[in-house]
Amino acid sequence: MTQVRAIQVLTELGREGSFSGAAQAVGITQSAASQHIAALEGHVGTILVDRGVRPLELTEAGAVLARHGAAILTHLDDAQQSLDEIVGRQAGRLRIGSFPTALTSFVPQVLSRLRAVSPDLELTVVDDHMPALLPRLESGELDMAVVYEAAGTPSAITHRLTVVPLFEDPYRALLPVRHRLARTDRRLRLADLKDEPWVGGRPGSAWYRILLAACRADGFEPRALLSTDDHRAVQAFVAAGLGIGVVPGLAAAQAPAGVTVRDLHPGGPVRRIGVAHRSGGPVPAPIRTAVALLQQVTAGR
């Protein structure tokens, strides 16, 4: 256990850059933190911390040990929670991540119900984009995450994660109210919009990769006037008549004045939304409860 505490100090030292910050994060004195690192260096036979720079930095050996140590600490934390759940000593904790459009639509209702059924649950919510959610989930920083993927784009879901499907979220077109296509109720094809100036979708983002794959399948590349992942900015530009947008359905649910929303023809881009947690071992009760509530709230979408 002494070595476990020393590894905790080392990982926090890498984050904080000082013995005082690491000590505060672990809940011990600065002197004790320094002694833990000195003892750990004696045990492994090499220097782990470069004390000659400010902020302090881990040596190459220290960084390697901290990286492996963080994974070990995560497994120990998971094991402790499982043991506590078995003997009934605590209600548990839940660290849930989500991409922004889910957070502004169905996730709050789920969290409200979760609070009602598990009032003692220690709940943490993290807002992040897809490229960061999955690594944070796999590293153990998150217990579960609301995620999505789409046909035609490489999946980032690995065998280390279990994904429970929730619903499909078709993309929809945003048009200025005076646009010629805003006056028709027919479903649009992406090719109908190929000559328009496009707004939204920062290159490299998951949103843009899904959209770009669908446009290329229809034989064209969208001509971007503005590249952004801010759905409010996209709606504002469309409302001003500066271009058109094609966004996930969740992002088009509350379009502002000046914007007409049109459905796309079947076969257009679609996000498959689900909830993911780490595979292997028993699923803790808080995760099981949250997954069930997500399924209830999103049923019928």
Side-chain angles (χ1 to χ4, degrees):
M1 292 305 296
T2 300
Q3 290 180 1
V4 170
R5 177 52 62 89
I7 290 175
Q8 283 181 309
V9 174
L10 183 68
T11 57
E12 293 298 338
L13 192 57
R15 296 189 185 100
E16 300 291 338
S18 69
F19 279 105
S20 60
Q24 184 176 4
V26 176
I28 59 177
T29 66
Q30 182 174 339
S31 175
S34 180
Q35 292 172 15
H36 275 301
I37 295 300
L40 190 59
E41 289 176 328
H43 180 75
V44 300
T46 189
I47 300 299
L48 301 175
V49 179
D50 185 351
R51 296 167 173 81
V53 297
R54 292 292 183 275
L56 299 181
E57 294 181 356
L58 302 185
T59 64
E60 183 179 2
V64 169
L65 183 56
R67 185 171 66 251
H68 288 284
I72 292 170
L73 294 172
T74 294
H75 288 306
L76 288 174
D77 186 48
D78 289 344
Q80 185 63 60
Q81 179 170 327
S82 295
L83 289 172
D84 287 341
E85 182 183 331
I86 289 171
V87 299
R89 286 201 299 263
Q90 68 178 41
R93 58 102 169 99
L94 185 65
R95 301 162 299 176
I96 180 171
S98 175
F99 57 92
T101 48
L103 277 179
T104 58
S105 52
F106 61 89
V107 169
Q109 185 180 356
V110 172
L111 299 182
S112 178
R113 294 189 184 186
L114 187 59
R115 280 289 192 208
V117 299
S118 302
D120 296 326
L121 183 68
E122 181 184 339
L123 183 63
T124 302
V125 183
V126 175
D127 175 13
D128 213 334
H129 292 281
M130 277 295 297
L133 280 176
L134 295 179
R136 297 176 77 169
L137 183 58
E138 290 194 344
S139 71
E141 183 180 347
L142 297 173
D143 298 310
M144 61 184 293
V146 180
V147 299
Y148 64 83
E149 56 184 344
T153 62
S155 175
I157 305 295
T158 71
H159 69 279
R160 292 188 292 272
L161 298 178
T162 295
V163 179
V164 179
L166 293 176
F167 64 96
E168 292 191 342
D169 184 32
Y171 277 52
R172 306 180 75 192
L174 304 181
L175 307 172
V177 291
R178 297 182 183 278
H179 193 280
R180 57 184 176 80
L181 294 176
R183 294 189 291 271
T184 177
D185 291 333
R186 71 177 178 85
R187 291 177 179 264
L188 302 177
R189 298 183 182 275
L190 288 177
D192 295 332
L193 306 170
K194 65 180 180 180
D195 296 325
E196 303 287 340
W198 289 57
V199 179
R202 183 171 48 82
S205 68
W207 167 18
Y208 184 75
R209 289 199 305 271
I210 294 171
L211 185 57
L212 182 60
C215 289
R216 285 176 173 171
D218 271 9
F220 73 98
E221 299 263 340
R223 178 169 57 89
L225 170 68
L226 170 69
S227 295
T228 178
D229 288 339
D230 187 336
H231 292 116
R232 293 171 300 179
V234 172
Q235 292 173 343
F237 269 62
V238 173
L242 296 171
I244 62 94
V246 177
V247 302
L250 291 177
Q254 295 181 333
V259 175
T260 297
V261 180
R262 285 287 176 265
D263 291 334
L264 294 177
H265 197 273
V270 176
R271 298 191 302 185
R272 295 191 296 265
I273 296 177
V275 55
H277 58 80
R278 291 192 301 281
S279 302
V283 181
I287 294 179
R288 296 197 304 270
T289 300
V291 169
L293 290 173
L294 279 162
Q295 291 174 313
Q296 291 175 15
V297 168
T298 59
R301 279 182 174 265

